[in-house]
Amino acid sequence: MANQSWSMDFVSDGLADGRRIRCLNIVDDCTRECLAIEVDTSLTGSRVKAVMRRLADTRGLPRSITVDHGPKFEGQVLDSWAYEAGVQLSFIRPGKPNENAYIESFNGKFRDECLNEHWFVTMAQARRIIEAWRIEYNTERTHSSLGNITPEEYAAGLLNRAEERVSLTADSKTGRD
């Protein structure tokens, strides 16, 4: 079911001048949609919380988010946000990235298809290219695990089926055929 379980992780890369960039990647485990890629030189727990609040406003929040034991995910800022928001942080066992397979698979594609293909000169350029790649990933790139459709198409299909079930339930309660 969409929007029930997300995964998130960090990926690092660099700018042409040697500065490091960090990318916070967030994926819906069901639809494989990349919900956000936050890009900056440093991403604190407060920044992760801000991204979560932004997603809550635009999409709602999942029941759980799978993360590793990184300091940004184990810190008090994210822990208190998750508690207040009613979201369970599900920590994988140390050294077991396969327990967060959805985000690890996404990170590999992101690195191969985006980060390794571009030489970022400025942070603004990196953000622009990465966001364009994220949109393409969701809207144009088909996934064999989704029946060779895009994450956006898969999510739309789930929404349509849910709306049909609601309509059928309402019709059965009113006696309409």
Side-chain angles (χ1 to χ4, degrees), residues 33-156:
E33 292 169 285
C34 177
L35 308 177
I37 303 177
E38 188 76 3
V39 182
D40 214 327
T41 55
S42 174
L43 295 167
T44 63
S46 295
R47 187 75 172 274
V48 174
K49 177 181 169 181
V51 173
M52 291 294 112
R53 283 184 168 167
R54 202 169 61 231
L55 287 172
D57 289 343
T58 60
R59 186 181 178 101
L61 291 172
R63 292 182 184 172
S64 70
I65 302 173
T66 304
V67 295
D68 63 23
H69 284 273
K72 305 297 188 284
F73 298 142
E74 290 184 325
Q76 288 181 333
V77 171
L78 192 61
D79 186 55
S80 64
W81 167 83
Y83 179 78
E84 291 168 13
V87 174
Q88 177 184 348
L89 296 179
S90 299
F91 291 92
I92 64 171
R93 292 178 292 170
K96 300 288 185 181
N98 59 320
E99 292 180 0
N100 203 355
Y102 296 117
I103 198 70
E104 292 298 331
S105 175
F106 175 82
N107 287 347
K109 291 171 182 66
F110 176 54
R111 179 157 305 284
D112 290 345
E113 299 172 12
C114 184
L115 299 179
N116 291 346
E117 293 295 318
H118 299 281
W119 185 255
F120 303 121
V121 177
T122 66
M123 184 63 68
Q125 178 201 31
R127 287 182 179 130
R128 190 173 52 255
I129 289 171
I130 289 168
E131 180 61 10
W133 181 87
R134 186 188 74 81
I135 291 167
E136 180 182 307
Y137 176 88
N138 286 333
T139 61
E140 296 177 28
R141 189 177 184 284
T142 60
H143 296 250
S144 59
S145 64
L146 300 176
N148 293 312
I149 60 175
T150 67
E152 181 181 69
E153 291 169 323
Y154 188 78

